[in-house]
Amino acid sequence: QVHLVQSGAEVKKPGASVKVSCKVSGYTLTELSMHWVRQAPGKGIEWMGGFDPENGETIYAQQFQGRVTMTEDTSTDTVYMELSSLRSEDTAVYYCARLGGSYSHFDYWGQGTLVTVSS
Amino acid sequence: QSALTQPAAVSGSPGQSITISCTGTSSDVGGSKYVSWFQQHPGKAPKLVIYDVNNRPSGVSNRFSGSKSGNTASLTISGLQAEDEADYYCSSYTSSTTLHVFGTGTKVTVL
């Protein structure tokens, strides 16, 4: 059983950066393909990026390239998502999720972290 | 990579069956065996209810079933119950540089 616990809500000003963490328990990070998605208030779910097990690299959605960095700390089994140059449109709940099965579906999700961008 | 297309809203009475469609392209839904469906209640994280087109995770009611034909996947909820009222999202692996794409979401209302 995988358990994902994310860091708390953040309020940031436009132009700033935010770093959200996701602590993994039940598995070691090296066994997992972790991803990040976000959901703006009242809107749909948007995939941001994650570890592609086929090529062993972290892949970012095109619309976030250059602004997002996903990292991991295997000593603490924690993954991080940092988003820079924040704008009001980045106000959303950010979720970490495990790509499970044959790396085919997001089966475990964190509880979500609300990031509010406001001047 | 555009979001997969879902109807904005679907409704049904308790006990009825409803079906939610999810339309993509040959680069995602049509060309992938990795189509999933998620249920999301307000303020909660999405919950996986169908994976790999038509498989149910352990613990998910057998009232949920999935299928696919061409570029369109479908989620059917039979014996509709009040607790099924939620938002539902499909998702697919894609062959593009955007590895995963989600649907636009469907609000299910139990009348």
Side-chain angles (χ1 to χ4, degrees):
Chain A
Q1 180 87 354
V2 177
H3 196 49
L4 307 176
V5 178
Q6 298 182 221
S7 49
E10 303 260 15
V11 179
K12 296 292 182 180
K13 293 193 180 303
S17 298
V18 68
K19 192 170 186 176
V20 180
S21 68
C22 171
K23 167 77 173 171
V24 178
S25 60
Y27 276 80
T28 58
L29 206 49
T30 53
E31 301 175 283
L32 305 178
S33 173
M34 296 299 297
H35 291 246
W36 291 88
V37 304
R38 75 176 187 180
Q39 186 172 33
K43 301 295 185 182
I45 301 170
E46 185 176 28
W47 180 77
M48 298 181 68
F51 182 77
D52 183 2
E54 286 207 359
N55 63 22
E57 296 179 355
T58 297
I59 305 295
Y60 302 123
Q62 191 170 6
Q63 63 268 39
F64 297 106
Q65 284 183 5
R67 280 209 306 144
V68 69
T69 304
M70 297 174 186
T71 56
E72 62 180 36
D73 182 345
T74 54
S75 68
T76 60
D77 286 324
T78 302
V79 292
Y80 299 91
M81 186 284 299
E82 184 170 20
L83 188 62
S84 62
S85 302
L86 290 169
R87 33 202 188 236
S88 58
E89 311 89 87
D90 294 318
T91 293
V93 176
Y94 290 76
Y95 294 99
C96 60
R98 181 187 89 150
L99 190 64
S102 303
Y103 299 116
S104 65
H105 52 274
F106 299 111
D107 53 359
Y108 291 98
W109 294 65
Q111 83 276 19
T113 296
L114 175 62
V115 175
T116 303
V117 183
S118 174
S119 55
Chain B
Q1 180 71 46
S2 299
L4 307 175
T5 301
Q6 298 180 231
V10 172
S11 62
S13 299
Q16 286 187 330
S17 292
I18 62 169
T19 297
I20 303 167
S21 62
C22 169
T23 301
T25 69
S26 57
S27 296
D28 39 65
V29 175
S32 176
K33 53 184 178 179
Y34 300 144
V35 177
S36 307
W37 289 90
F38 301 88
Q39 176 192 64
Q40 187 179 36
H41 287 108
K44 299 295 187 181
K47 173 190 173 185
L48 181 71
V49 293
I50 292 290
Y51 68 95
D52 296 353
V53 177
N54 56 10
N55 291 279
R56 271 189 318 277
S58 174
V60 172
S61 171
N62 58 9
R63 297 184 300 103
F64 291 87
S65 61
S67 63
K68 190 183 83 165
S69 177
N71 295 338
T72 299
S74 299
L75 173 71
T76 297
I77 309 174
S78 58
L80 201 60
Q81 299 179 1
E83 68 208 49
D84 300 331
E85 188 162 291
D87 293 326
Y88 291 83
Y89 293 90
C90 60
S91 176
S92 173
Y93 176 83
T94 88
S95 58
S96 74
T97 52
T98 298
L99 293 184
H100 301 274
V101 62
F102 285 86
T104 51
T106 298
K107 181 174 181 59
V108 168
T109 301
V110 181
L111 301 171

